[in-house]
Each structure stands twice: as C-alpha cells, then as structure tokens.
Amino acid sequence: MSKSDKRIRPPGSKGDSEQGVPGSKDAPGSRNVPGSKIVPGSKSVGWALVQAARLHRSRVGDRLAALDLFAGQEQVVQALAASGTMTMGDLAATLRVRPPTASKTISRLAALGFVERRAEAGDGRIVRVRLTEMGLAKAEAIERIGEAVEAELLAGFDGKERRRLRKLLRKAARNLAAISGALGHEVEGDAEIDEDDDGIVSAL
C-alpha cells in the first residue's frame, strides 16, 4: 500500500480524529460535554412536578418521624380527625386504598395508642375507628407540620402566585382523572372560588 493510500481512510475507521464526529465528546452541540448535567425529561412539567412532590414528601417524612409516624400514616390520622369516627370501608374509600391496606395501617396506629377500634353494636362485622386523646394531639401536630412545610415549599411566592399554582395543579389533576376514569372522585378544592390573574373571580 502506498503512502497516499494510507492517508485515505474510510470515515469512522480506527485512527480517525473524533473531533467533529456526531456523538463524540468534542462534537459541536454534543450533550456529552464534560461537566454537563442534562437529565432526560428535566424540561418537562411532569418531571418538575415529581421532583417537587418527592422533596415535599421527604421533608414531611423527616418531621413525622419525630411523632413516631411514617409518611402516609398522617393521612389516616387527618381523615379521622376530620370525620371523628369512620368504618374501615369508609376510611379505605377516603384514602383510595384497598381495605387490607387501611386495616394494616390502623393496626400499627392502634399499637402506638393513636387510634381505637370498636365493633358496631348489633353487627360485629362492622368496625369503627376513632382517634384516642393521644391521636388527637398527633393530629394537631401533623397540621402544624403541614403548615410549616408548605411555608418552606412556597417561600418567595406571593398570594397571587400561590392561588395560581394551586389552580393549575388542580386543573392538571382533573385532566388525568378524566383520562383514568376517576371522574367520580372530585379533586379536593374544586368547589372553591379563587381570583384569576386578571382579578376576575371564577370557579376553579
């Protein structure tokens, strides 16, 4: 092979410089530039929503640990605080979980002394659940945690931005509820009235 033949190489053959080759580290516009931290999907609303929800849940979970509660258990305590007494079936429906899941959570809370169970008079198959005095105190503490974490979450937001964000999230939830066939379950707060950005009052 002559020297001139050695200088002619097929594109991509060994020995070629990678500079300018699409997909290489040094290619113009390449996403593999050293130091770049582009995450797939990071520009989507869904990605931002999941990240915010995950961080919010983690923050709440850290504070709940001080109350001897795990994330998720506070929802049961809050539901009972709002309703007073509930059957296991009603509680499962409110939390949108299967009855065995609700029953397991109640058993754990009962072992901690936060709730008590009583069979319905005349029908032992129906079990009613309510908070104990200790459970009511936990419910108040949970409410304070929720307020504190929400203040952290919305730091720097003015009143209009908070209302707007709440409205947009509810609208997004309704979109998914319609697609998944969950229209029977209204998004919490749907009946509230908020002021739009233009100052026009309308139902959310």
Side-chain angles (χ1 to χ4, degrees):
M1 182 182 292
S2 66
K3 292 182 179 180
S4 61
D5 292 335
K6 291 181 181 180
R7 289 195 299 269
I8 303 175
R9 299 177 184 273
S13 63
K14 187 176 180 181
D16 251 3
S17 169
E18 291 186 345
Q19 187 165 351
V21 176
S24 70
K25 292 182 179 180
D26 302 320
S30 171
R31 292 189 176 186
N32 296 321
V33 177
S36 66
K37 296 182 179 180
I38 297 177
V39 179
S42 60
K43 292 185 178 181
S44 74
V45 173
W47 188 91
L49 180 61
V50 168
Q51 293 304 307
R54 183 177 297 164
L55 291 168
H56 177 272
R57 201 76 185 128
S58 175
R59 182 64 173 156
V60 170
D62 289 342
R63 295 201 170 201
L64 287 174
L67 301 179
D68 294 323
L69 291 169
F70 293 104
Q73 292 178 331
E74 86 282 4
Q75 296 176 21
V76 175
V77 175
Q78 288 174 307
L80 290 173
S83 300
T85 302
M86 301 180 74
T87 66
M88 293 299 300
D90 289 341
L91 181 59
T94 298
L95 299 176
R96 299 183 189 179
V97 298
R98 294 183 305 160
T101 301
S103 180
K104 184 180 296 185
T105 302
I106 287 297
S107 293
R108 290 172 178 169
L109 293 175
L112 292 170
F114 299 162
V115 302
E116 60 182 10
R117 294 169 287 192
R118 290 185 179 179
E120 179 81 358
D123 191 346
R125 296 171 300 176
I126 300 177
V127 177
R128 291 192 175 276
V129 186
R130 69 178 183 180
L131 294 176
T132 61
E133 289 297 322
M134 188 185 301
L136 289 170
K138 296 294 182 181
E140 293 177 359
I142 289 169
E143 186 174 355
R144 290 194 294 270
I145 287 175
E147 292 172 351
V149 175
E150 178 141 334
E152 295 171 345
L153 173 71
L154 300 177
F157 287 64
D158 61 28
K160 181 184 288 186
E161 289 172 329
R162 293 182 183 211
R163 290 192 299 271
R164 184 65 174 165
L165 176 60
R166 187 169 62 246
K167 178 178 180 179
L168 292 174
L169 289 175
R170 288 173 181 165
K171 185 175 181 180
R174 286 196 297 270
N175 288 342
L176 292 180
I179 293 173
S180 63
L183 285 177
H185 300 284
E186 293 183 0
V187 177
E188 184 178 353
D190 274 353
E192 290 183 10
I193 305 295
D194 275 354
E195 187 176 317
D196 284 341
D197 293 336
D198 320 43
I200 301 174
V201 175
S202 63
L204 292 183

